[in-house]
Amino acid sequence: MNFRSAMEKVEFRVFDEEISHDDVVRFISDNGLERTPAILNVEGNRVATNFLATRELLCSYLNICVDDLARFLASLSSPGRIEVVKAEYEEISNLHDLPVPKYFEGDAGRYITAGIVVTGNGNDYSSYNASFHRMLILDGKRMAARLVPPRHTYLRWKEAVERGEDLEIAISIAPHPLFMFAAATRVGEGMEYAYAASLMGRLGVVDVDGLHVPESEVVIRGRITGEMVDEGPFIDITGTYDRVRKAPVVEVDAIYAREDFYFYSITPAGYEHQILMGIPYEPEIYRAVAKVCRVKNVVLTAGGRHYLHAVVQIEKVTDGDGKNAILAAFSAHPSLKHVVVVDDDIDIYSTEDVEYAIATRFQADRDLLVITNVRGSSLDPSARDNITAKMGIDATAKGDREKYRRVY
């Protein structure tokens, strides 16, 4: 399974009009493509975007219903196969030959946003780590990579630098969307390939100069060095600018691409960015809440950028279940800021229905839970040094359920 096989599963639009690398976001907006899979013509190259911009698209690759997504991911256990396959690649001379966009005027430069950094050893798939990292193009052979401590790629790079070595990496661009989802999911170290294989049934990998990389349209081989440069500013998930930080330099050794390749672009703060960051936390919340009450479903909402706000649906047994569910949700997703718990007769995908639950089943002096001075998300501009307040709303029926029965 590769990106081209995924294209056969969904409808997408193709645009022949050639646009500049700094005109991608405007073109998407002008054509109403924020949630639509599309192939753009960027300076004569094919750029794919938004193939994971909705939960419906993700579910189409998984062959499941949207309502089953959190439960399916929370209970996923079927092992998949990892197989070495062959792929024909041509070598590209330097990074400037790739259609890398500059998204917004205030960005530090052109950014690879859909690059999955792969590290590992030969065919020992338990040694592999795969994760997204934004990369600022510095010149034709160098990039600055945003590494987040204490995540796995950062720790592997730090250990390499402390040994006086560079960290050998491959960068996968445009693999199958389910591998993209696996790389965005927080799993144990060395588990990304196994998790991707479980999602896909079969994960095909290609030996690219000693590293086994998922079948991809573009593969960049290189090294993360100890050299540090400024990275940023750049838009993050809230649509606000992330601050400038020091980041390590990636030295590019080779760039490989399939004939007539598709490059992949994830629009910063767009729906696809939000889906990839947020939805992997839904099964984490589901599993955590299942330990304290009967959970039915979980959704991270669009208004919270699919990351900061959640709605949890439970089958309530006792009046304490709602608050227990709130605490469990916060423990499962440390960046979560607000959570609403509702009964199983409420449609969690309808903001109107959730608001109805708050209007008719919630009293602020009784059902509001506020937790102050706790760690939140570094992406929340209202937090101070990552310290925030969290709010849980127990919008479940209390006492006699008959008085809450909806006749109309």
Side-chain angles (χ1 to χ4, degrees), residues 127-301:
S127 73
Y128 276 78
N129 183 74
S131 55
F132 280 96
H133 298 274
R134 71 190 190 212
M135 283 164 274
L136 168 66
I137 305 298
L138 300 175
D139 55 45
K141 292 291 186 179
R142 296 163 67 249
M143 299 179 287
R146 168 79 168 113
L147 304 186
V148 180
R151 297 180 188 168
H152 296 149
T153 304
Y154 172 87
L155 293 176
R156 291 186 177 197
W157 164 74
K158 188 171 181 289
E159 290 169 1
V161 169
E162 288 172 351
R163 295 192 304 267
E165 302 173 358
D166 297 338
L167 179 64
E168 288 280 341
I169 64 168
I171 301 166
S172 164
I173 299 175
H176 191 281
L178 289 179
F179 188 87
M180 295 170 60
F181 184 78
T185 300
R186 304 283 180 85
V187 296
E189 186 169 11
M191 292 299 296
E192 281 92 352
Y193 275 31
Y195 184 64
S198 295
L199 292 171
M200 300 166 69
R202 171 189 171 276
L203 171 62
V205 295
V206 181
D207 187 335
V208 182
D209 299 340
L211 281 178
H212 287 205
V213 184
E215 293 182 84
S216 309
E217 292 292 306
V218 177
V219 179
I220 301 173
R221 278 292 268 119
R223 296 159 287 110
I224 307 181
T225 72
E227 181 186 356
M228 305 293 286
V229 295
D230 286 342
E231 185 276 317
F234 194 61
I235 293 286
D236 218 311
I237 195 170
T238 56
T240 55
Y241 269 104
D242 197 7
R243 64 184 176 84
V244 177
R245 298 177 176 86
K246 291 294 183 182
V249 170
V250 177
E251 294 280 356
V252 173
D253 296 320
I255 305 172
Y256 302 103
R258 292 188 62 176
E259 183 180 2
D260 203 15
F261 66 89
Y262 293 94
F263 190 78
Y264 205 90
S265 164
I266 297 173
T267 302
Y271 285 101
E272 187 164 39
H273 185 184
Q274 297 172 38
I275 291 291
L276 283 165
M277 276 194 68
I279 285 185
Y281 280 105
E282 291 180 1
E284 296 292 326
I285 297 170
Y286 187 99
R287 282 190 289 262
V289 176
K291 294 177 181 178
V292 299
C293 63
R294 295 178 183 174
V295 62
K296 303 296 287 186
N297 212 342
V298 174
V299 63
L300 287 157
T301 63

Side-chain angles (χ1 to χ4, degrees), residues 67-80:
D67 285 350
D68 295 332
L69 181 58
R71 180 168 53 253
F72 172 83
L73 294 173
S75 60
L76 186 66
S77 60
S78 302

